[in-house]
Amino acid sequence: MEVHRTDTYRLDPTADQHNHLKRMAGCGRFVWNRALELIQTYRAWGEGVPRYNAVEAHLAQWKRVFPWLVTDGHSQALQQRLRDLDQAWAAALDPEQPDARPPRFKARGSGDTIRFPQGVAVRGAQVKLPKIGRVRFRKSRNLPEEAEVRSVVVTRDGAHWFAHLQIRYTVPDPGYATDPHVLGLDLGVARFLTASDGTVFPALTARYERLQKRLAREQRRLARKQKGSNNRAKQRDRVAAVHRKLRNIRTDFAHQVSTALAKSHGWVVAEDLNLGGMTRSARGTAEAPGTGVRQKAGLNRSILAQGWGQFLDALAYKLAEHGGTLIRVDPAHTSQRCPECGHAEAANRPDQATFACRGCGYTDHADRVGAINVRARGIEALATV
């Protein structure tokens, strides 16, 4: 079985490498803004949005006019920025993604991203980047044996650079691990995870909540800083640092829980959640404005703070590495259906934590009932394989 995943490491570039990365990211930002201006001109003329091939045809001319795009930039990295812009426009024009907005111009220090699709290599604790050379990184974890580094995305977060190594490797086909029984999972906000065997993983720690309050304070201070000032730039770095801490807590938590489950179970069943739809804004449109917008926004923040998507992705590849597999099932009515008699109605769940069947009187915690029903659907799916 072939596994694709992304491992992230913090880079330790030299002063010259740091400056070159800044210039290379600046070239990508310039090309993004130049192409976006071109697309907006086409739209102002009443024409459609030109796709990647039409926009990329202008890149050679821009290189002749601005020679530093050749000396400081990298041709494939610039092409990748145009591909990113093309995908952003495709999402903005997709009627199935109503929350997607048209791409915007990027300011200096915002969204510094360099994508190297080839010409990269990893040796020890160094990664070779085109036109940059070998850059040391903090090897916080070892890559799987015989892993092939497909590409590298370098991003800037505050004062630090990070390399996201997109790797590919093979593992034995999924089978049963050391404990082959089927385990159902129910993901939630009050509880991060409830398993069908009664195991509970609580939501993220109080430290995470304190950092969220600190983030709100730092963002309010940022809003009061004068645009373009050095103080605003410093405050922006402080906001980025808090975001980074929150992200690190969320990532570490997801890896701890997924590792524990992958080592102890063979088949794990989880709900196939549509996270994009679940976290869609309730603001509606100008013609049909939504209701409960602030309440829905708070719920969206709580869902996104749990990092369910990141957790399930990590669980999938870790189970595969241990010989297990992750099964995703339809989540509809899993917390409203009685696992004893099968009766399903919304009244079976009078509040967030309680399940009381109106048909047979069965009672349990609502999250565990959801996990039991998820497990049952996983067993049905296995029977059809």
Side-chain angles (χ1 to χ4, degrees):
M1 175 180 175
E2 193 170 84
V3 177
H4 297 258
R5 83 176 196 214
T6 301
D7 285 2
T8 301
Y9 301 91
R10 177 175 157 183
L11 295 175
D12 284 327
T14 64
D16 289 341
Q17 290 172 338
H18 172 76
N19 291 330
H20 198 165
L21 287 171
K22 286 178 60 178
R23 294 196 302 271
M24 189 174 288
C27 291
R29 183 172 60 251
F30 174 85
V31 168
W32 171 286
N33 290 339
R34 189 90 176 181
L36 181 55
E37 183 180 12
L38 176 67
I39 293 173
Q40 290 183 344
T41 302
Y42 272 91
R43 299 191 77 195
W45 291 343
E47 300 185 18
V49 174
R51 300 309 303 269
Y52 166 76
N53 290 334
V55 177
E56 197 272 338
H58 295 267
L59 186 57
Q61 175 63 25
W62 296 342
K63 289 181 178 179
R64 288 191 290 269
V65 177
F66 307 101
W68 41 268
L69 287 175
V70 178
T71 57
D72 295 337
H74 183 263
S75 59
Q76 292 184 347
L78 298 180
Q79 291 170 350
Q80 291 298 317
R81 293 303 284 161
L82 295 180
R83 293 184 188 277
D84 293 341
L85 179 61
D86 182 67
Q87 292 177 1
W89 271 112
L93 300 176
D94 187 353
E96 296 184 359
Q97 302 186 47
D99 287 342
R101 298 182 179 181
R104 298 183 296 180
F105 292 101
K106 294 187 179 297
R108 178 177 298 179
S110 172
D112 286 345
T113 302
I114 311 168
R115 189 186 308 274
F116 299 101
Q118 59 184 17
V120 297
V122 175
R123 179 181 298 175
Q126 293 182 331
V127 55
K128 180 183 177 182
L129 302 176
K131 300 190 74 170
I132 301 294
R134 296 192 178 277
V135 184
R136 295 188 60 84
F137 65 88
R138 302 188 179 186
K139 199 171 185 180
S140 53
R141 61 181 300 185
N142 292 323
L143 294 173
E145 294 184 6
E146 302 180 356
E148 177 187 2
V149 180
R150 303 286 292 171
S151 63
V152 175
V153 178
V154 177
T155 60
R156 187 182 182 187
D157 189 349
H160 304 297
W161 293 94
F162 294 85
H164 309 272
L165 309 183
Q166 299 175 356
I167 62 176
R168 179 178 67 182
Y169 58 101
T170 58
V171 297
D173 288 336
Y176 286 109
T178 54
D179 185 0
H181 77 273
V182 180
L183 184 73
L185 304 181
D186 180 85
L187 300 175
V189 175
R191 293 174 167 184
F192 175 75
L193 182 152
T194 303
S196 56
D197 63 359
T199 303
V200 175
F201 288 92
L204 289 173
T205 62
R207 179 170 177 247
Y208 190 90
E209 296 177 357
R210 291 197 300 271
L211 280 173
Q212 286 184 312
K213 294 179 181 179
R214 178 183 167 189
L215 175 63
R217 291 197 302 270
E218 298 294 353
Q219 287 176 326
R220 286 194 295 268
R221 291 170 182 167
L222 177 63
R224 292 193 290 266
K225 302 296 182 183
Q226 182 178 355
K227 291 186 177 181
S229 66
N230 290 333
N231 284 337
R232 182 178 176 84
K234 294 176 184 177
Q235 185 62 29
R236 188 169 57 241
D237 288 342
R238 295 189 187 100
V239 171
V242 180
H243 273 298
R244 186 166 56 250
K245 289 181 179 180
L246 287 167
R247 186 166 58 251
N248 290 342
I249 292 175
R250 191 165 56 245
T251 300
D252 181 65
F253 184 74
H255 280 293
Q256 286 189 26
V257 177
S258 59
T259 298
L261 293 175
K263 287 183 176 180
S264 59
H265 298 85
W267 297 100
V268 178
V269 189
E271 297 167 301
D272 189 11
L273 299 172
N274 179 11
L275 296 178
M278 292 174 63
T279 56
R280 184 167 296 159
S281 172
R283 65 177 179 270
T285 63
E287 296 77 14
T291 59
V293 177
R294 291 191 63 183
Q295 294 85 343
K296 184 61 166 63
L299 177 61
N300 291 349
R301 283 194 297 270
S302 298
I303 293 174
L304 294 173
Q306 303 302 314
W308 292 343
Q310 183 180 30
F311 161 72
L312 291 175
D313 289 343
L315 180 60
Y317 80 74
K318 290 179 182 181
L319 280 169
E321 289 177 341
H322 289 83
T325 189
L326 176 66
I327 304 169
R328 302 186 189 230
V329 299
D330 183 5
H333 308 298
T334 52
S335 62
Q336 300 176 2
R337 183 180 300 278
C338 178
E340 290 291 328
C341 68
H343 176 70
E345 65 170 301
N348 283 351
R349 189 171 181 176
D351 55 55
Q352 188 275 330
T354 305
F355 181 90
C357 180
R358 300 289 293 272
C360 68
Y362 174 85
T363 60
D364 201 341
H365 195 285
D367 292 341
R368 183 161 187 264
V369 168
I372 293 173
N373 287 326
V374 167
R375 177 181 182 273
R377 292 186 182 181
I379 293 175
E380 292 177 2
L382 285 173
T384 61
V385 175

